Amino acid sequence: MLIGHKVQHNAAALRTALLGKKMVRFEAPYTDSILPQVGHTIEEVRNLDRSIEIIWDNGIVLNTRMKIASSWDVYRNGDTWRRDSAHADVLIDVQDWVAVCFNTPEIDVYHDFDPRRHPILGKLGPDLTHVDADIEEAVDRMMDYEERDETVAEVLLDQRVVRGVSNVFRCEILWACELHPWANIGTLKRAECRELLMLAQEMLQNADTSSNNLAIYGRQGKSCVRCGDVVKVNHHGEANRVLYWCVGCQTAHEPLVRPNFTPLYIERDANMGDSHPAAKQFMNEIISLRDVG
Ligand SMILES: [Zn+2]
């Protein structure tokens, strides 16, 4: 198989196994940089020319370079592995599936580009995962936000305003408040900022990212549970993170001019549930390829 096809094929299998799932175990014995953390959700798998990138909801990116002998294998729990586990370069376990990378010449782990996430650039905002986070201070930081036309979706990920808001909960919080994700931060009133942040804190305290408990995240193409409109997904912001939202009911503070965004098709619709016929067929193909190999 040509390297480009192999990368595409491996990435497709990874999407089926990992997208939208919470990671329960991560191993990369030969890497000593920052590592993806257990409990975070896998948000995207990108196949590049000769590498595969896996992106978590907290902005961590794992890039594995692929050569002819490299591969990402996916196994269902309990499957017999085709290769010796002792030779695995990376292992990602999401409970029902495990993805394993072998023979990669290079592993790179980094934060998705967003200079504002870097702590040296300013004092960090309150951490909303803490019970005693100072909400009023976070409200002040929102109200004093320098770029008044920045979108509320971006501000929620700015570590100088608040910390602890993963991308999953950014989408959930905006939906819960019926806020347009591209609302300019300057249009929000103090009471609205407070309501948004209090709700965020409550959600983060009771964080449960199993898909049954999520209202909007990962539901692209499905009906919004509140208004019945179709849930959309776009790339948005400097870090180009995925954003799930409902055009039907997230209308508060809709901006007159929308910032640029990239409409996005995530190859997940057909693969999210194993009950879907396309997913079944896809998985049968992978399994038969695996058996042949
Ligand atoms: Zn809706």
Side-chain angles (χ1 to χ4, degrees):
M1 200 186 286
L2 290 170
I3 183 75
H5 289 153
K6 187 175 188 172
V7 168
Q8 263 182 18
H9 186 265
N10 280 190
L14 286 170
R15 286 186 194 105
T16 300
L18 302 180
L19 281 190
K21 307 270 181 68
K22 187 152 66 168
M23 184 169 73
V24 297
R25 183 162 59 116
F26 180 85
E27 290 172 13
Y30 311 112
T31 310
D32 53 8
S33 59
I34 49 162
L35 294 178
Q37 290 163 326
V38 164
H40 282 280
T41 300
I42 293 141
E43 190 163 271
E44 261 195 283
V45 175
R46 297 176 188 156
N47 48 303
L48 310 174
D49 186 22
R50 281 168 188 264
S51 66
I52 290 181
E53 279 185 353
I54 299 173
I55 298 110
W56 279 260
D57 68 318
N58 58 346
I60 293 283
V61 180
L62 168 78
N63 182 296
T64 45
R65 205 145 66 79
M66 304 293 280
K67 55 181 186 179
I68 287 291
S70 316
S71 77
W72 269 102
D73 297 350
V74 297
Y75 300 104
R76 274 200 189 277
N77 224 338
D79 280 356
T80 310
W81 289 19
R82 286 184 295 136
R83 301 184 198 222
D84 185 350
S85 60
H87 297 150
D89 294 322
V90 184
L91 179 149
I92 297 170
D93 187 346
V94 292
Q95 209 135 37
D96 50 344
W97 290 94
V98 58
V100 202
C101 183
F102 293 98
N103 289 325
T104 171
E106 193 180 338
I107 301 170
D108 192 15
V109 187
Y110 55 93
H111 254 289
D112 219 339
F113 177 70
D114 185 350
R116 292 168 311 176
R117 293 180 86 101
H118 205 287
I120 63 166
L121 293 177
K123 195 167 168 282
L124 296 171
D127 185 344
L128 294 187
T129 60
H130 290 172
V131 188
D132 55 359
D134 188 342
I135 294 290
E136 286 308 313
E137 190 192 332
V139 174
D140 286 344
R141 284 167 182 248
M142 261 191 171
M143 295 302 292
D144 297 341
Y145 204 80
E146 210 168 284
E147 298 137 72
R148 305 302 289 156
D149 57 352
E150 184 58 281
T151 64
V152 64
E154 277 290 87
V155 173
L156 281 174
L157 290 185
D158 190 333
Q159 310 280 288
R160 296 170 306 177
V161 177
V162 282
R163 285 174 296 148
V165 181
S166 66
N167 199 33
V168 172
F169 283 99
R170 167 172 82 147
C171 302
E172 293 293 310
I173 293 157
L174 291 172
W175 180 86
C177 291
E178 300 180 36
L179 255 179
H180 197 287
W182 296 301
N184 292 345
I185 193 66
T187 62
L188 267 68
K189 296 188 174 66
R190 190 174 180 89
E192 290 171 316
C193 290
R194 187 181 295 115
E195 187 193 340
L196 182 74
L197 292 167
M198 284 175 74
L199 186 74
Q201 188 189 31
E202 192 188 318
M203 276 189 173
L204 290 163
Q205 297 294 312
N206 307 301
D208 181 354
T209 50
S210 55
S211 53
N212 294 342
N213 293 302
L214 297 177
I216 192 92
Y217 186 89
R219 290 179 51 84
Q220 77 277 10
K222 295 182 182 161
S223 298
C224 169
V225 294
R226 184 166 52 209
C227 75
D229 215 322
V230 178
V231 174
K232 290 197 167 190
V233 59
N234 295 112
H235 267 137
H236 174 63
E238 267 183 72
N240 215 21
R241 309 295 305 283
V242 292
L243 183 68
Y244 296 88
W245 64 294
C246 173
V247 273
C249 60
Q250 286 184 245
T251 52
H253 295 288
E254 182 172 356
L256 293 174
V257 181
R258 289 186 181 183
N260 288 335
F261 66 87
T262 319
L264 175 69
Y265 168 71
I266 291 190
E267 295 173 55
R268 170 157 44 168
D269 275 347
N271 303 330
M272 272 301 276
D274 289 341
S275 57
H276 194 291
K280 271 192 179 155
Q281 188 190 339
F282 182 73
M283 287 321 299
N284 287 340
E285 280 168 18
I286 288 177
I287 288 161
S288 64
L289 277 171
R290 184 197 303 172
D291 291 341
V292 171

